[in-house]
Structures are given as structure tokens and as C-alpha cells.
Amino acid sequence: QVQLLESGGGLVQAGGSLRLSCAASGSIFGFKGVGWYRQAPGKQRELVASIDTAGTTNYADSVKGRFTISRNNVKTTAYLQMNSLKPEDTAVYYCNCGGTLGFWGQGTQVTVSS
């Protein structure tokens, strides 16, 4: 079992930055891929960024060059550094471990004002 707890969300002006953290409990964290997803009101949940156990990263086209995903397996924590935020980045951001059938956090709200 893995429990995930996101933090770092909040309200920021367009062009600003936020850093999301996902603290995981459970020893399997280091053996699973990690992803950050987001869901805006009235929209489907979408994958924003992912990182596998080898550190290979993948990003949605909409965030490439602005967001950076990373992980620290010793601290069992994943991060999402978000720069140059846009109003369209407003959503609830969820941390995932182990794929869509794996484990999910409760989400953290990110609101970007114009």
C-alpha cells in the first residue's frame, strides 16, 4: 500500500511559480512510476507529467518547458515545479503512483489568476 499526500497548491498570478510536493508512505514508492495529473472543472483528468523509476520524464505538450517533475526515492517524495503559470493551468492536481490503477492522493488546488 502507498499513501500519497500532496501539498504546495495555492493561488498565484499568471507568470508565477508553484512547487507541488507528493509525500509517499510505503516502501514500494521507489519501484513505481509517478505521475502528476490535473482536473479542471468540467474537464477530464489529464496527465501533466510522469517520471519512471529510471528518472525518464514525460510531459504534456501544454506544459513542456514550464513544468519539471522530479523524485527523491530516499525521501519518498515527488515534486512538480511549475513556472510561467497560466490561467489555463488552474485545476486540482493529483499525485499518482503506479499508474491509473495504482494509488492516488487527495489532490491540491492550483488557481492561477490573470
Side-chain angles (χ1 to χ4, degrees), residues 6-78:
E6 301 100 333
S7 62
L11 173 64
V12 65
Q13 288 188 332
S17 298
L18 285 173
R19 188 194 196 204
L20 304 183
S21 297
C22 173
S25 64
S27 59
I28 66 171
F29 175 84
F31 302 98
K32 298 288 185 181
V34 174
W36 283 97
Y37 290 72
R38 67 186 180 188
Q39 187 166 19
K43 294 188 177 181
Q44 289 189 331
R45 190 173 297 189
E46 63 173 352
L47 177 64
V48 174
S50 64
I51 184 168
D52 65 14
T53 55
T56 302
T57 58
N58 183 57
Y59 297 93
D61 288 343
S62 59
V63 306
K64 280 181 181 176
R66 300 188 297 122
F67 291 10
T68 303
I69 188 172
S70 60
R71 65 188 298 167
N72 184 322
N73 290 336
V74 173
K75 295 183 177 180
T76 62
T77 302

